[in-house]
Amino acid sequence: MHGVKLFTGAAVSVLLLAMAGSAPALADTIEAALVRAYQNNPQLNAQRAQVRSTDENVPQALSGYRPKVNMSLGTGYQYQDIQQTQKGLPIHSDPPLQPNSASLTINQTLYNGNQTANRTRAAESQVSGSREALRVLEQTVLLQAATSYMDYLRDSATLEVQRSNVRVLEQTLKQTRDRFNVGEVTRTDVAQSEAQLAAGRTQALTAESNLTTTRANFRRIIGNEPTNLAPGSPVDRFLPNTIASAVNLSLVENPNVTASMYGIDVNYLQVKINEGALLPTVTVQAGVTQAYQQSLTVFRTTTASAIATASVPIFQGGAEYALIRQSKENLAQQRLNLETTRDQTRANVVQAWGQLEAGKAQVKSAQAQVTASEIALNGVREEAKAGQRTTLDVLNAQQALVNARVALVTAQHDRVVASYSVLNAVGRLAPQVLGLNTTVYDPSVHYQQVRDSWAGVRTPDGR
């Protein structure tokens, strides 16, 4: 019975090992799990593809600066039969004509109310905003990975506590029955032991079910089945020293805030684009055409032209003015959304910081509770042997110890997850900050590859 008790204590302390010593050899660590989630999470990779798609908005906008070249070729069959009224002699084509033509046209916009320049800047702001959205999802995935890792440690330790409790209760029931056979206790004591054992088995089955769910979440987020997990540890060393500095840092580095800022830029430039529709447009068109056998009397025709056109919008039905007013309202809305995002970010940091501080205190309290519950259980058992305590008192003390150990496991889990939550709220839950052993995805690489691309349908990766 004493050996079972020690085994239970060892199972509970699995999360504390990260505070005191190094992880066991060949164990899976929380850092390695974060690396796998960062590299392989399908939701995160899909968001990276979305960023690459947004990159293409910039060369699309830049195309407004570039000429548009069109070529057309024509060929066919033509037969003419003309009767002249004065001379009375017919004119016909024999053999029939085969008219051919080739033309090349170049169009270049010289001025369009700065719409091209503003579209380009808006596209660049969209790219920056999409990168911040990617940072949001990166942090979300890393937080989910850290949470699922700690969830599995918590639930596996809880299952071991409940299983060990069942073994203790089985021995307690056996001893109670032996004492009943010799007349030391009553049938009530046996029934109480049986009821407590049944309850313990129910708790163990519940813990096993919870662990099955946690294992599935681990596989979904991190990408593999959990095996031989090393204890996790907090990331307090990466956090600001005070809550005030954490709040100030979040208002600068949190990607939700920076994404909203880029959203203001995009909406402001959209106002300028719509206003540009009221300004003149100046274009130049140059073309050359070569035609053969267009008529019976002309064998070849060559035409070349260069035409400049200025177009001034006078009134287009009022839609252009409605678009300007609408875009101004969208800009005002986005500015208010930025304030909302800042307020929410500030609240998230304060909440996460409070949970972290509470978690630290809860770990100390739970450790003291476990120690006191172990002493109390040993005392109740000794008093029960002397007839000063009943079997129910022993069972209640045993359950109190189980509850204390489960509370300790939960507090240790919450303590680690809270530190990651604060880092996420601040906006610094990133591989570079955590020092993860992985290649950091750089969205600017693809952007530079496609920004000045004039032609080609293959993506930079060869697709």
Side-chain angles (χ1 to χ4, degrees), residues 159 209 427 431:
L159 178 58
S209 174

Side-chain angles (χ1 to χ4, degrees), residues 72-212:
S72 62
L73 300 173
T75 186
Y77 173 89
Q78 181 179 352
Y79 174 78
Q80 288 183 337
D81 189 350
I82 302 174
Q83 181 69 43
Q84 293 184 341
T85 59
Q86 294 180 351
K87 297 181 178 180
L89 297 175
I91 301 175
H92 60 272
S93 54
D94 189 14
L97 298 176
Q98 292 184 338
N100 300 308
S101 65
S103 64
L104 180 68
T105 304
I106 301 176
N107 292 279
Q108 176 65 58
T109 300
L110 301 181
Y111 180 74
N112 62 354
N114 293 322
Q115 291 185 69
T116 298
N118 289 324
R119 285 194 181 100
T120 301
R121 287 194 288 268
E124 291 171 342
S125 295
Q126 288 173 346
V127 168
S128 299
S130 68
R131 292 178 183 178
E132 295 308 299
L134 176 60
R135 284 185 57 211
V136 171
L137 188 57
E138 284 178 347
Q139 294 198 147
T140 300
V141 169
L142 289 176
L143 179 60
Q144 289 176 345
T147 302
S148 63
Y149 187 97
M150 296 306 301
D151 286 350
Y152 189 83
L153 284 178
R154 176 200 61 196
D155 293 346
S156 60
T158 299
L159 178 58
E160 286 303 317
V161 169
Q162 298 296 351
R163 285 175 174 173
S164 180
N165 179 51
V166 169
R167 290 191 289 269
V168 172
L169 292 175
E170 288 174 344
Q171 292 189 11
T172 301
L173 176 58
K174 181 178 180 302
Q175 293 173 354
T176 303
R177 284 173 174 170
D178 292 341
R179 295 177 64 190
F180 172 74
N181 292 333
V182 297
E184 293 182 3
V185 295
T186 65
R187 182 62 188 171
T188 301
D189 296 303
V190 175
Q192 289 172 341
S193 297
E194 291 174 341
Q196 195 72 3
L197 175 59
R201 286 171 175 166
T202 299
Q203 292 170 350
L205 291 173
T206 301
E208 187 172 356
S209 174
N210 293 338
L211 184 61
T212 300

Side-chain angles (χ1 to χ4, degrees), residues 347-371:
N348 291 341
V349 172
V350 173
Q351 179 183 4
W353 191 278
Q355 291 174 344
L356 177 60
E357 293 300 316
K360 295 176 182 179
Q362 287 170 355
V363 169
K364 294 181 180 179
S365 176
Q367 289 172 339
Q369 183 182 3
V370 169
T371 301

Side-chain angles (χ1 to χ4, degrees), residues 348-425:
N348 291 341
V349 172
V350 173
Q351 179 183 4
W353 191 278
Q355 291 174 344
L356 177 60
E357 293 300 316
K360 295 176 182 179
Q362 287 170 355
V363 169
K364 294 181 180 179
S365 176
Q367 289 172 339
Q369 183 182 3
V370 169
T371 301
S373 296
E374 289 176 344
I375 295 173
L377 177 59
N378 292 333
V380 170
R381 283 173 174 165
E382 293 300 323
E383 292 172 359
K385 292 178 181 178
Q388 298 177 346
R389 293 281 186 171
T390 65
T391 301
L392 182 59
D393 293 330
V394 177
L395 294 174
N396 289 338
Q398 172 66 23
Q399 187 60 47
L401 177 58
V402 170
N403 294 340
R405 286 171 174 166
V406 171
L408 175 58
V409 169
T410 303
Q412 291 168 338
H413 162 276
D414 295 345
R415 163 78 173 86
V416 176
V417 172
S419 66
Y420 278 91
S421 297
V422 174
L423 201 61
N424 173 68

